[in-house]
Amino acid sequence: MTITIILVVLAFVLLIVLGARGRKQRDNAAEAARRAVEARFERRDEDAASHKDEDSRA
């Protein structure tokens, strides 16, 4: 009975520790993806602005 309780507590602790680590990795990956998308949109805006300037000069 005691061994079962210890194993259940250990499983619960491991679930919490590994779950927090996985959540952190997911959050970091989501943040990196968000920054990459924002950077890509900023580059598109800069490219579009440079094209507009060329067209307005003509």
Side-chain angles (χ1 to χ4, degrees):
M1 180 74 172
T2 306
I3 293 175
T4 304
I5 293 172
I6 292 172
L7 288 175
V8 168
V9 170
L10 181 61
F12 185 69
V13 169
L14 287 174
L15 180 67
I16 291 173
V17 169
L18 295 177
R21 191 164 107 193
R23 190 178 317 115
K24 183 177 179 182
Q25 288 176 345
R26 251 191 336 268
D27 291 344
N28 288 343
E31 179 65 20
R34 184 187 61 79
R35 280 185 268 133
V37 169
E38 285 179 353
R40 190 169 185 177
F41 281 133
E42 287 174 3
R43 273 187 266 133
R44 283 187 182 170
D45 290 342
E46 290 171 2
D47 290 343
S50 67
H51 290 303
K52 286 179 185 175
D53 290 341
E54 289 174 3
D55 292 340
S56 64
R57 285 186 233 152

